[in-house]
């Protein structure tokens, strides 16, 4: 696996589009037009951003990142820049093995506390998940988290759950990336990323 790079600290997009490309298929009967659909564990986050008016110092960090990624080959940690991370309450970890689907059984939270809110993000097994409802731990610090999209691979028992700095692992969607410059003044970038599979 390629080295997973960090996004440059303090560099924030001027505009940011964040979406989920869902994995599934639909079949329509040619006889009665009834439809059936199926969902697969391969939905992926997509991010498109514009970085505007970066000075030379800021632009250098982005340019170095892009050269290190070298198009499709590289990997970088990204998050939803429009959502503030949740406050960590406890030391959450995966409670049981063999988990799949859209519920994650966890432990290690502060006991009897609302530990996550609807719309928070968490990272488990290098997969970025959206929390689908408020989550309150029980008296033992255990909590089942409804998440989406569904898990692609089963996380290991006692695997850490990242709350403070949730991230996904992304690739660039094209091989031609760089700044648009106004020499001596500003640098602008338009970049597109898609969550990478098999990067665990």
């Amino acid at each position: 696996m390629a080295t997973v790079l960090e996004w440059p600290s303090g560099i924030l997009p001027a505009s940011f589009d964040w979406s989920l490309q869902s994995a599934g298929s639909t079949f329509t009967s040619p006889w009665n037009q009834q439809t059936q659909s199926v969902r697969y564990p391969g939905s992926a986050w997509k991010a498109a951003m514009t970085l505007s008016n970066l000075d030379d110092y800021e632009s250098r960090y982005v340019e170095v990142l892009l050269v290190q990624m070298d198009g499709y080959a590289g990997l970088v940690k990204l998050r939803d820049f429009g959502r503030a991370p949740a406050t960590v309450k406890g030391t959450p970890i995966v409670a049981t093995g063999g988990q799949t689907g859209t519920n994650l059984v966890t432990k290690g939270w502060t006991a009897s506390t609302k530990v996550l809110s609807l719309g928070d993000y968490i990272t488990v097994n290098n997969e970025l998940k959206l929390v689908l409802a408020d989550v309150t731990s029980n008296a033992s610090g255990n909590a089942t988290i409804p998440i989406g999209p569904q898990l692609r691979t089963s996380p290991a028992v006692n695997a850490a759950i990242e709350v403070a700095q949730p991230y996904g692992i992304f690739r660039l969607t094209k091989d031609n990336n760089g700044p648009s410059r106004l020499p001596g003044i500003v640098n602008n970038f338009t970049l597109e990323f898609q969550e990478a599979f098999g990067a665990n």
Side-chain angles (χ1 to χ4, degrees):
M1 182 184 74
T3 300
V4 181
L5 303 170
E6 300 285 342
W7 183 256
S9 178
I11 304 294
L12 297 176
S15 65
F16 186 66
D17 294 328
W18 181 255
S19 61
L20 183 69
Q21 180 173 321
S22 299
S25 61
T26 299
F27 171 77
T28 302
S29 168
W31 294 283
N32 60 12
Q33 297 302 303
Q34 274 193 320
T35 60
Q36 292 182 330
S37 61
V38 62
R39 177 172 61 175
Y40 305 124
S43 298
W45 298 108
K46 299 186 74 174
M49 67 177 75
T50 301
L51 305 170
S52 299
N53 300 324
L54 301 189
D55 61 27
D56 182 65
Y57 178 79
E58 295 168 320
S59 184
R60 288 173 186 235
Y61 281 99
V62 180
E63 291 171 51
V64 166
L65 173 71
L66 295 176
V67 170
Q68 289 175 314
M69 291 186 72
D70 199 11
Y72 305 123
L75 301 170
V76 64
K77 292 181 181 179
L78 287 182
R79 63 180 179 88
D80 181 352
F81 288 103
R83 179 71 43 82
T87 301
V88 185
K89 297 175 181 176
T91 308
I93 57 176
V94 174
T96 62
Q99 297 194 60
T100 59
T102 57
N103 285 294
L104 182 64
V105 181
T106 64
K107 61 184 180 181
W109 300 95
T110 303
S112 303
T113 301
K114 180 181 174 183
V115 294
L116 293 167
S117 296
L118 175 149
D120 284 339
Y121 288 97
I122 62 170
T123 299
V124 60
N125 209 31
N126 280 335
E127 297 182 23
L128 181 64
K129 304 301 177 189
L130 188 70
V131 177
L132 304 182
D134 292 348
V135 178
T136 299
S137 61
N138 65 17
S140 299
N142 301 327
T144 297
I145 308 170
I147 57 170
Q150 62 184 304
L151 291 164
R152 294 194 296 273
T153 57
S154 299
V157 178
N158 297 328
I161 297 167
E162 180 60 51
V163 176
Q165 296 180 320
Y167 64 88
I169 296 179
F170 287 73
R171 297 185 192 277
L172 289 159
T173 62
K174 59 183 182 179
D175 260 344
N176 183 14
N177 303 280
S180 172
R181 300 195 199 278
L182 295 175
I185 306 175
V186 295
N187 300 273
N188 302 312
F189 297 81
T190 300
L191 304 172
E192 295 183 4
F193 301 86
Q194 180 164 324
E195 196 175 9
F197 295 168
N200 295 338

